[in-house]
Amino acid sequence: AEDEIAAFEREIKQFWTSFKSIYGSEQVNQTVALRDSCKESIKALTEKWSQKLKEEDLMIDKIKEYNDEILQQNKLISENEENLTEIKSNLNHEEEQIKSLMDSIQELKEELMKKNEIIASKNKATKERVEQLCKSKALFEERLGLEIRRIHDEQLQFIFRHIDHKDPEKPYTFTLFINEQGDYEVTSCSPPLDCIVEFQQKVRETNNFSAFIANIRKAFTELSYK
């Protein structure tokens, strides 16, 4: 726009030079007045358009600034969305891990409860067996010359006498307890019997404890004659 105005001013000057050479003084004065008026209008118009151009430049700069700010905000929003997606993914993963852990804990609790029930049942059975053995004590003592003692760790010691005809008071002993599996287990035997393992296995299979005691006494008796 400024270049067009400058070109227009040059044309006016050229016109003025030609005009003076053709017309007289009075016409020149009138023309000068007209020219001055035109120049003032052009000047005002130039200032007006220059101001508008400046305002437009400022507006363009402002729009560019706004666009840059919008781009920056969009970039931040995009980054935040990515971070939010990652956080959600991590939360979902952690929730899955927590659920899996809770399931494992629940399974362990149920397994522990079952084991406790089994242990309680075995302990009850063991206690009942020990009580049954103790109730049979008088019968064994009377018929087999057997003494039963409760010793440490819930073990029972069985003491046979009247086996060795040369020394009726000589003790023949073995120690028994009921293990965690609920089976009879001989922990010691004096004097040692080679068949004690066989007797132990048989009483586990048959649960015939009276026959077990009788077989051990018989083995001790046979050993006394050797």
Side-chain angles (χ1 to χ4, degrees):
E2 292 180 354
D3 292 340
E4 291 177 358
I5 293 172
F8 181 71
E9 289 180 345
R10 286 196 299 272
E11 291 178 359
I12 291 296
K13 288 181 180 180
Q14 291 176 359
F15 171 78
W16 173 245
T17 302
S18 300
F19 184 79
K20 282 198 299 182
S21 62
I22 298 173
Y23 296 97
S25 170
E26 183 176 351
Q27 288 84 357
V28 169
N29 289 336
Q30 291 177 357
T31 303
V32 167
L34 181 61
R35 184 201 65 180
D36 291 342
S37 176
C38 183
K39 289 179 68 176
E40 289 295 327
S41 298
I42 292 172
K43 182 179 179 182
L45 182 62
T46 301
E47 291 177 353
K48 180 179 178 180
W49 282 105
S50 295
Q51 182 63 30
K52 284 191 174 184
L53 288 173
K54 289 180 181 178
E55 290 176 355
E56 288 178 357
D57 289 340
L58 289 174
M59 184 64 68
I60 291 172
D61 291 340
K62 200 69 175 177
I63 290 172
K64 184 179 180 182
E65 182 180 343
Y66 286 155
N67 285 336
D68 291 341
E69 185 175 350
I70 290 171
L71 289 174
Q72 184 65 25
Q73 291 296 329
N74 288 337
K75 182 179 179 182
L76 291 175
I77 291 172
S78 178
E79 291 176 354
N80 289 334
E81 287 178 347
E82 291 177 358
N83 291 335
L84 182 59
T85 301
E86 183 178 357
I87 290 172
K88 286 182 178 179
S89 177
N90 291 335
L91 286 175
N92 291 334
H93 182 64
E94 289 178 359
E95 286 177 356
E96 291 177 358
Q97 288 184 326
I98 291 173
K99 185 178 182 301
S100 177
L101 181 60
M102 294 301 293
D103 291 342
S104 298
I105 291 174
Q106 184 62 31
E107 290 178 0
L108 289 174
K109 284 183 177 179
E110 293 176 357
E111 184 178 352
L112 182 60
M113 289 178 63
K114 290 180 181 178
K115 287 184 177 180
N116 287 337
E117 290 175 359
I118 292 173
I119 291 173
S121 177
K122 288 182 177 179
N123 288 340
K124 182 179 179 181
T126 300
K127 184 177 181 180
E128 291 175 352
R129 286 187 181 182
V130 171
E131 289 177 353
Q132 184 180 3
L133 292 176
C134 290
K135 289 178 181 179
S136 303
K137 177 180 178 181
L139 178 63
F140 288 136
E141 288 180 348
E142 179 182 352
R143 295 188 179 182
L144 302 176
L146 174 64
E147 178 184 356
I148 301 175
R149 297 176 182 175
R150 187 193 296 265
I151 59 176
H152 58 85
D153 298 330
E154 295 299 322
Q155 296 188 73
L156 295 177
Q157 185 182 52
F158 295 78
I159 306 171
F160 293 97
R161 301 183 191 278
H162 308 295
I163 289 179
D164 189 345
H165 62 283
K166 297 178 182 179
D167 186 2
E169 294 302 317
K170 179 181 178 179
Y172 289 75
T173 67
F174 75 93
T175 304
L176 181 75
F177 87 111
I178 299 174
N179 60 26
E180 294 181 356
Q181 289 72 37
D183 296 326
Y184 294 109
E185 184 171 335
V186 177
T187 58
S188 66
C189 182
S190 178
L193 293 174
D194 295 335
C195 54
I196 194 68
V197 176
E198 178 184 349
F199 293 161
Q200 175 180 274
Q201 184 61 33
K202 191 169 183 179
V203 73
R204 289 180 179 181
E205 295 172 355
T206 63
N207 203 32
N208 189 339
F209 191 75
S210 296
F212 173 68
I213 295 296
N215 287 333
I216 292 180
R217 179 179 174 81
K218 182 179 179 181
F220 278 145
T221 301
E222 291 174 356
L223 184 64
S224 71
Y225 287 101
K226 293 182 179 180

